Amino acid sequence: MTTKASTKHPYAAIEHRVLDSAAYTALPFSAQSLLMMLARQLNGKNNGRLQATATYLQPRGFSDNTVTRGIADLIAAGLIYRTRCGGFHQGPSLYAVTWLSIGSQRDGLFLD
């Protein structure tokens, strides 16, 4: 009898149609890596509340300039959307991946 392997560990899944798209393949590797770090945060309920903060990304080898360029590249490619602009006393900017729907907690997000 064969049992189905299961995992209780979280994982980051990006659909093949995204990875195979011209938009994704045209990105520099640093922007592709940043997209992986954004997708790593997804839990099925929080799309639209993904963060690209220095606290989260610097330990993973990202510089501030790489993040700034990567965010611009991902937005221009149509793979992420900025749902909230952060700033001093406003908290971090928030993002959504465009191939999934936005989570149900929409308060404070710019979705027009």
Side-chain angles (χ1 to χ4, degrees):
M1 178 178 191
T2 306
T3 60
K4 182 177 179 181
S6 68
T7 181
K8 294 183 185 209
H9 302 285
Y11 59 92
I14 298 181
E15 297 174 13
H16 288 195
R17 67 185 173 114
V18 176
L19 296 175
D20 295 339
S21 70
Y24 179 82
T25 57
L27 290 170
F29 288 125
S30 57
Q32 291 177 358
S33 295
L34 180 57
L35 185 61
M36 295 298 150
M37 291 298 97
L38 291 171
R40 184 185 184 281
Q41 298 172 53
L42 289 166
N43 65 17
K45 299 176 185 175
N46 66 337
N47 193 29
R49 299 194 174 277
L50 308 176
Q51 299 180 23
T53 62
T55 303
Y56 176 64
L57 293 169
Q58 282 178 347
R60 291 165 170 83
F62 289 85
S63 69
D64 290 342
N65 288 337
T66 300
V67 173
T68 300
R69 278 192 315 271
I71 291 294
D73 289 343
L74 291 169
I75 290 171
L79 293 171
I80 66 169
Y81 176 78
R82 184 177 287 121
T83 58
R84 182 177 81 184
C85 289
F88 192 64
H89 293 299
Q90 295 178 31
S93 292
L94 299 176
Y95 303 92
V97 295
T98 56
W99 66 89
L100 296 174
S101 62
I102 301 293
S104 60
Q105 296 179 356
R106 295 170 171 238
D107 293 340
L109 300 181
F110 177 74
L111 300 174
D112 288 339

